[in-house]
Amino acid sequence: MKGTSYRTHGCGDLRPDHIGCEVKVAGWVRRVRDMGQFVFLDLRDRSGIVQLYAPKSSPMYEVLRTLGREWVIQAEGTVRRRESPNPNLPTGEIEIEVETLTLLNRSEVPPFLIEDETDGLEELRLRYRYLDLRRPIMQRRLELRAQFLEVVRRYLRENGFLEVETPMLIRSTPEGARDFLVPSRLKPGSFYALPQSPQLLKQLLMIAGIDRYFQIARCFRDEDYRGDRQAEFTQLDCELSFVSQSEVLSIFTGLVQAVFQELIGVEIGEIPTLTYAEAMSRYGSDKPDLRYGLAWEEVSEWASQTEVPFWKGRRVFQLHLAQAKASRKLQEKWQEVAKSHGIPSLSIAQKEGEKISTSLQKFFTAQSLPPEAEGLWLWAAGENLPHAGLGALRSAVIQDLGLKPERPWALAWIIDFPLFEQDEQGKLAPAHHPFVHPHPEDLEYLEQAPLKVRGLCYDLVINGYEIMSGSLRCHAPELQMRIFRLLGFSEEEAQDKFGFLLEALGRGAPPHGGCAFGIDRWIMLLAGGSSLRDVIAFPKTASGSDLMLNAPAPLDPEQKAEILRWISS
RNA sequence: GGUCCGGUAGUUCAGCUGGUUAGAACGCCGGCCUGUCACGCCGGAGGCCGCGGGUUCGAGUCCCGUCCGGACCGCCA
């Protein structure tokens, strides 16, 4: 740390090399320990903690012992070797014998411990976020986030990307999440929307010839929040022209490798690719947690040759754990899980040597299974097996048996997502967003069998979290219009909502595609946390309020009246 | 929008089927202590039991409403 008029060193920077030096430090009082004949004081700043010392014979003794926690002080003194070192502290071999002390500011007694292991609950920590962020562990998380941005910027710049900012006040588009709206004063009755993502703007940048773009973009979605979902969140938003899907994946594999390597020293190697169809049938999820090898296997053929009557003519999926044992209670719980996810039949068997215990007793002996196979089996059967149910069962089994991950990090590209899905009313809806380029092999039956059409899109899944999502986009206006028509937009509606895009596509749009990383979530994983709020400096609660600023808040009456005038005209 | 859990000292919590003066630990304040670093020891202060209503002789405890926080479902292209 560079010195200023307030300090010559950071508290945590002092080492035995400094013994004998006259130093000046400034920071917050972490704790005072008055021993009678002398006093110790732990002083904290961002660089760490150093112990101040004053013997009773010094005039500083009386000064130090009366200081309160979190008071801001400046101390001047001589670095000396400790009589009893503390090996748990980087500065544990030295202390500063204080000669001059300046009180820079007092502090109220803090409502919770300003320590890595705090006693404050999250609600309190959010209310006094500036105190929460004073905790070393929180500062390390902010540091990790800053390093992340640094690595990402460097990698992308080295690969020819241009960082471009796009506006926050844009217009609302009909699909997707609910928009946050901003009333316009100069055009009463009209509204801006805050971007859910810079999707269309970055496509326009490609048409502008920017070629390779990125942005650390703040995005806003007015939906309900969760531990891993905030009203505003940060995306690493990227778009490239003149690239194939595999080229996009290869460029961003490099980025992901660089981040893991430089931030946490982990070599992730190549990232395996899984199709959507494989992911769904093996793991029951399009974002499987692949730290666990456990996978469903279709055994319909084998099942039809057994005596089990309700397996005949049905599809049967099997989950086998060679080492595992499940109590009756757990088995009942899994039956509930299966039932609540619409799985028609779940059978469970436990085999040890020649002994087998199963609800299939009547139709089934130990000989029905290969002799060397042991452990726990689950069989889900039905004409129609909802994949989500298989996924929920797999998660439940992993959690309830307390399975240990086979590896700390499991990454995968998931590709070949369907382009469309059906909503509740049976209407066609984009599975991803309406600008995804259909898979060229499936283009011919776009109109005939739209649900079978795959998109040129890809997700990156890390430990069961969707960290990045992207696609190649439609660059031909005719193709984009075909998609809009399938989604039920008339020519006029499409022109009204997306006219600017269709027009731009008709003015020399290059083939292009890109992606967006949810970086809050990714940094959360890298920091080893399970809450987004721990890696965002000033996060909001699950109901979207900021407990420190007390936002959202009612308006002044005059302000409110003015807004209402704009809105209703 | 729905379901569930919680709200008691500065903090984290306990408080049984309703029953005298609502507790503990940490923190805070005062005193003592020659090497602490979660210092130790002695003493003390500290409570609209989230808010409003109801039931009851009597409510922290039961009921209704409301606000706040959390988890989950819906939602989040």
Side-chain angles (χ1 to χ4, degrees):
Chain A
M1 199 203 65
K2 211 153 180 269
T4 67
S5 56
Y6 277 92
R7 51 185 181 180
T8 57
H9 294 81
C11 294
D13 297 337
L14 294 167
R15 290 293 179 275
D17 291 353
H18 298 99
I19 286 170
C21 294
E22 224 6 71
V23 297
K24 230 189 315 186
V25 289
W28 287 263
V29 175
R30 179 199 187 202
R31 195 175 286 132
V32 180
R33 289 181 296 276
D34 178 3
M35 307 303 292
Q37 285 304 300
F38 39 78
V39 59
F40 297 118
L41 184 152
D42 289 341
L43 191 68
R44 177 187 60 235
D45 66 13
R46 182 149 80 91
S47 64
I49 287 163
V50 70
Q51 176 166 284
L52 307 187
Y53 165 85
K56 192 153 202 176
S57 54
S58 156
M60 287 300 107
Y61 171 80
E62 275 306 318
V63 178
L64 254 58
R65 68 186 288 270
T66 55
L67 298 174
R69 281 162 64 205
E70 301 307 318
W71 290 21
V72 187
I73 61 170
Q74 178 195 40
E76 211 171 335
T78 311
V79 178
R80 43 180 251 160
R81 187 172 292 281
R82 287 201 198 185
E83 275 177 39
S84 43
N86 180 353
N88 303 319
L89 227 51
T91 60
E93 286 181 65
I94 55 100
E95 65 195 1
I96 301 173
E97 181 163 359
V98 180
E99 283 133 32
T100 314
L101 191 125
T102 313
L103 176 60
L104 299 173
N105 217 340
R106 285 169 205 276
S107 168
E108 299 288 326
V109 174
F112 53 88
L113 277 177
I114 315 291
E115 302 284 340
D116 286 356
E117 292 290 324
T118 181
D119 58 350
L121 254 38
E122 199 171 25
E123 188 178 348
L124 247 204
R125 291 171 44 209
L126 288 175
R127 174 135 182 243
Y128 301 98
R129 189 59 164 180
Y130 44 89
L131 296 180
D132 195 28
L133 294 177
R134 211 125 94 189
R135 296 161 60 219
I137 193 169
M138 294 304 281
Q139 299 193 348
R140 286 198 295 277
R141 286 172 180 151
L142 294 181
E143 180 73 32
L144 182 75
R145 191 174 178 121
Q147 281 172 9
F148 175 93
L149 294 176
E150 211 174 305
V151 170
V152 158
R153 282 207 165 92
R154 206 203 53 228
Y155 179 89
L156 291 173
R157 290 293 287 156
E158 280 170 3
N159 281 276
F161 286 78
L162 190 65
E163 186 169 6
V164 181
E165 292 167 274
T166 56
M168 303 296 261
L169 295 173
I170 62 171
R171 66 169 285 173
S172 179
T173 47
E175 82 300 319
R178 195 174 296 119
D179 287 313
F180 278 100
L181 298 172
V182 180
S184 158
R185 176 178 57 87
L186 296 175
K187 286 218 161 106
S190 290
F191 294 81
Y192 297 102
L194 303 184
Q196 295 178 27
S197 82
Q199 178 61 36
L200 292 168
L201 293 156
K202 69 178 172 180
Q203 289 192 242
L204 296 170
L205 286 173
M206 292 305 106
I207 296 167
I210 298 304
D211 210 44
R212 289 188 175 198
Y213 140 94
F214 81 99
Q215 179 178 200
I216 311 296
R218 194 61 64 80
C219 306
F220 304 85
R221 292 177 191 178
D222 188 7
E223 293 292 345
D224 286 7
Y225 316 118
R226 291 290 154 79
D228 64 346
R229 257 163 40 195
Q230 286 268 314
E232 53 181 303
F233 58 97
T234 309
Q235 277 187 351
L236 168 60
D237 193 47
C238 306
E239 195 80 4
L240 307 74
S241 296
F242 308 116
V243 282
S244 67
Q245 173 169 306
S246 64
E247 286 155 352
V248 173
L249 297 192
S250 143
I251 287 168
F252 290 104
T253 295
L255 173 75
V256 173
Q257 286 168 337
V259 165
F260 271 88
Q261 181 59 255
E262 293 182 43
L263 258 69
I264 58 171
V266 170
E267 194 80 56
I268 56 159
E270 280 307 306
I271 301 175
T273 302
L274 212 58
T275 66
Y276 171 83
E278 285 166 348
M280 292 308 283
S281 72
R282 300 188 47 140
Y283 308 103
S285 168
D286 61 358
K287 42 180 179 169
D289 190 343
L290 298 170
R291 286 175 300 168
Y292 308 90
L294 195 60
W296 289 97
E297 191 187 345
E298 176 153 17
V299 292
S300 304
E301 198 151 315
W302 165 81
S304 66
Q305 285 154 27
T306 65
E307 299 300 309
V308 184
F310 48 85
W311 283 358
K312 305 277 180 223
R314 283 177 150 181
R315 297 186 75 184
V316 180
F317 278 73
Q318 165 182 293
L319 197 65
H320 177 217
L321 297 92
Q323 307 294 330
K325 263 190 156 163
S327 66
R328 175 153 301 247
K329 207 173 151 194
L330 279 184
Q331 299 193 15
E332 279 165 17
K333 190 186 159 198
W334 298 339
Q335 291 290 355
E336 281 304 307
V337 172
K339 211 163 149 194
S340 68
H341 285 86
I343 289 182
S345 142
L346 177 69
S347 309
I348 301 174
Q350 183 90 52
K351 179 169 167 242
E352 259 176 290
E354 287 301 294
K355 276 173 48 196
I356 187 161
S357 122
T358 171
S359 56
L360 301 174
Q361 214 80 40
K362 259 199 269 180
F363 324 106
F364 217 77
T365 65
Q367 282 73 44
S368 309
L369 294 167
E372 69 283 3
E374 296 279 311
L376 176 70
W377 278 263
L378 281 79
W379 292 284
E383 283 86 44
N384 254 324
L385 278 175
H387 288 302
L390 297 181
L393 273 171
R394 178 175 181 268
S395 308
V397 166
I398 288 170
Q399 205 192 341
D400 295 340
L401 294 177
L403 296 189
K404 294 270 169 301
E406 290 159 24
R407 52 191 76 86
W409 297 102
L411 293 86
W413 296 114
I414 314 289
I415 59 165
D416 289 349
F417 283 80
L419 192 59
F420 300 111
E421 57 192 22
Q422 264 174 324
D423 67 13
E424 310 83 51
Q425 295 97 40
K427 236 185 83 197
L428 223 49
H432 190 58
H433 60 53
F435 318 111
V436 176
H437 198 293
H439 200 293
E441 290 169 17
D442 301 346
L443 257 181
E444 44 190 317
Y445 45 89
L446 194 53
E447 278 79 14
Q448 288 72 38
L451 286 172
K452 277 173 115 177
V453 174
R454 293 164 295 167
L456 285 179
C457 54
Y458 32 86
D459 281 3
L460 174 67
V461 174
I462 303 183
N463 293 2
Y465 287 91
E466 180 197 311
I467 291 300
M468 175 265 237
S469 181
S471 64
L472 299 192
R473 331 293 186 188
C474 298
H475 60 274
E478 301 78 22
L479 179 61
Q480 182 64 74
M481 194 53 226
R482 268 170 86 188
I483 306 266
F484 285 148
R485 267 197 298 270
L486 280 164
L487 291 170
F489 289 108
S490 68
E491 199 80 28
E492 297 71 46
E493 281 173 308
Q495 280 303 332
D496 179 48
K497 309 290 188 199
F498 298 111
F500 64 98
L501 176 69
L502 292 167
E503 187 176 81
L505 291 177
R507 290 170 184 255
H512 63 284
C515 61
F517 292 80
I519 71 170
D520 303 297
R521 212 173 273 176
W522 191 2
I523 295 167
M524 170 185 95
L525 288 179
L526 293 168
S530 58
S531 171
L532 273 194
R533 297 175 209 125
D534 283 343
V535 296
I536 297 173
F538 298 103
K540 295 177 178 55
T541 69
S543 50
S545 46
D546 183 319
L547 297 178
M548 186 178 60
L549 302 175
N550 232 325
L555 293 175
D556 294 336
E558 311 88 79
Q559 214 178 357
K560 188 174 173 184
E562 195 178 15
I563 289 273
L564 287 175
R565 270 201 307 281
W566 302 342
I567 291 178
S568 53
S569 42

